[in-house]
Amino acid sequence: MSKRLISFDLDGTLMQNPFGAWVFPEIARVISGQLGREHDVVSEMVAEHEQRMSQKRYVEAYDWDDILVSRCDAWCIEKRVDIESLVRKHSVMPKVYLLEDGILQVLEEIKKLGFSLAVVTNGFYKFQAPVMKALGLLDYFDEIITPERAGTGKPDPAILQKLQGEVIAHVGDRLDHDIQLANRSHVTSILIERNLPEELLKLQPQMRANNHGMRLFCLEKLRRECKNPLLLELPELLMPRMVIRSMGELLSVLDEQAMG
């Protein structure tokens, strides 16, 4: 019998990685030191990342080493930063942390329901594994799919096809990556959003996606993700089928009827 899989995003869904608060600032300090002046290194790296994403170069978009080499070439300096080493250095609590208490217990309970668990992330394995290990996440997942291993990234449906088994649902925090991926793959798209307004919290997870207020909430969320405040419409492909406020809520919807 084929495995029944629930796949998860990592950053913003299960855990906080050290890039924003620790890794990028250290890269900026080293590079600014090499240049002999303060320079907005991170903004240039992120701009290069976004350009690659817009060109659907999903693997290259998350190859931070290659992005840094590209920027160093433009600045006419040598790349002297090993990003993987920085990630390992900073993969200690409280620099990295789980986004909710009890996440590991919830993952264990989901497995007891008969599901296999997988990670589908746009972060390279060498950047994600140290964080997952530090937080105790590694042992809970049967498969970890990353762009450099899959040859593509979210939201390309091909990345989900790398999983061995029937994907029942994908859980993530981004509309443009996770929800689009699930909808294009014809699996249940589950948005985890920990800052839902009170009127949406009153609704059952299965009912939230049909609420007009949820659609407006998602439109505003997509504007932030796309950095386009003038976006007027939420594409149906980016509308989640189910919305949860926590991993704990996920347990309540993982049954045959909800996943059907």
Side-chain angles (χ1 to χ4, degrees), residues 4-6 110-111 113-117 168 254-255 259:
R4 301 170 72 237
L5 286 156
I6 308 292
I110 293 172
K111 294 182 78 166
L113 290 175
F115 295 103
S116 296
L117 306 183
I168 304 299
L254 287 180
D255 57 50
M259 295 291 103

Side-chain angles (χ1 to χ4, degrees), residues 128-187:
Q128 299 289 42
V131 187
M132 293 180 70
K133 183 177 181 181
L135 299 175
L137 283 168
L138 267 179
D139 294 339
Y140 288 87
F141 294 94
D142 296 316
E143 299 179 67
I144 299 174
I145 308 296
T146 59
E148 82 286 8
R149 291 177 163 189
T152 189
K154 298 182 290 188
D156 182 0
I159 194 172
L160 218 54
Q161 293 163 13
K162 301 295 181 180
L163 291 171
Q164 304 299 310
E166 179 190 3
V167 183
I168 304 299
H170 178 73
V171 183
D173 69 308
R174 288 190 65 135
L175 301 173
D176 56 349
H177 293 179
D178 299 297
I179 301 308
Q180 182 179 180
L181 169 70
N183 288 341
R184 287 173 66 185
S185 303
H186 307 291
V187 304

Side-chain angles (χ1 to χ4, degrees), residues 108-124:
E108 186 63 43
E109 290 299 317
I110 293 172
K111 294 182 78 166
K112 288 178 182 177
L113 290 175
F115 295 103
S116 296
L117 306 183
V119 163
V120 178
T121 174
N122 274 353
F124 278 25

